[in-house]
Amino acid sequence: MSNSDRLIHATAADATVRALAVDSTNLVAEACRRHGTAPTTSAAFGRLLSGALLIGRTYKDLDRLTLQVRGDGPVGAIVAESTAHGTVRGYVRNPEADAPPNRLGKLDVKSIVLGDGQGMLHVIREAGYEIGLAREPYYGSVPLVSGEIAEDIAHYLVTSEQINSAISLGVFIEPEEGRAIAAGGFLIQAMPGITEETIAALERSVSQMPHVTQVLRNSPGPEALLQMALGELGFEVLEEMPVEFRCTCSFERAVNIISALDRAEVEDMLEKDKGAEMTCHFCNEVYFLNEEVLENILAPPPVM
Ligand code: ZN
């Protein structure tokens, strides 16, 4: 499958509209494969990963954005973390959570997120640490209003950041194998100076367009999403970037973590398990530190 995973950032109506769209098909499929998610969880997870990429690009000086959905439903918690470089990673508490289709015949994301209860959307924004000027992270949270993810993110944007937004996120799961074959979304924001005519035009075009995954299956890539969402307004692309699922873990980091443990603990691993196995909860990569690596940790080379 060719990789059409891209994000575009555009402007319309004399800069009174900000619009972003992402085709995240391949990265959502990879995230779901890594975590072994059931179809309904794949839909919820894929929507949050795509949402984190879109929202992340709306902040000028952002390094890292974390979205956490925590509800009373069986999936438990869903976490997505995006960076300014177009990478995203994440995990779900209970990847096997699944549900029968809802009354519209769609994957019932709400039921695995909320169950019969409630939930919260937590947002963490970090900036400055890549240039050594780490600022206090920003924390925001709002109650989940729908459990379907996109509406919850829109609610957060309007209540916490006072930005009126239309956001649509979708993941299409191929019914036979349960694999994500289309994923992505768009975000449209009203900027200062927006006119009533522009708002009316947006409401028309957004309400008339087909579902996100239908658009992506017909024409992969983010452009068609904005063409349809913005309709007669048209748009000008300001920025375009590839996006991917990428984690920051590595074998070296695994060694550093074990090196920081008590000596007795490392000796115990060497003696009992003949090694140490570590699994990254963000990407499910397994690192195995063999006896030789553990011996080196216990007996570092002499300082010259
Ligand atoms: Zn990882």
Side-chain angles (χ1 to χ4, degrees), residues 88-99:
V88 67
R89 62 178 188 166
Y91 61 91
V92 291
R93 178 70 53 79
N94 298 309
E96 71 286 355
D98 212 356

Side-chain angles (χ1 to χ4, degrees), residues 5 46 51 73 99 124-125 133 152-153 171 182 219 258 274 283 285:
D5 284 10
I124 306 162
R125 292 204 319 255
L133 289 169
D152 301 303
I153 294 174
V171 177
S219 51
I258 299 293
K274 310 288 180 214
C283 69
E285 195 73 38

Side-chain angles (χ1 to χ4, degrees), residues 3 5 27 30 53 85-89 242-247:
N3 194 341
D5 284 10
L27 72 88
E30 185 184 348
L53 282 167
H85 310 295
T87 69
V88 67
R89 62 178 188 166
V243 288
E244 62 176 335
F245 182 91
R246 196 199 294 164
C247 194

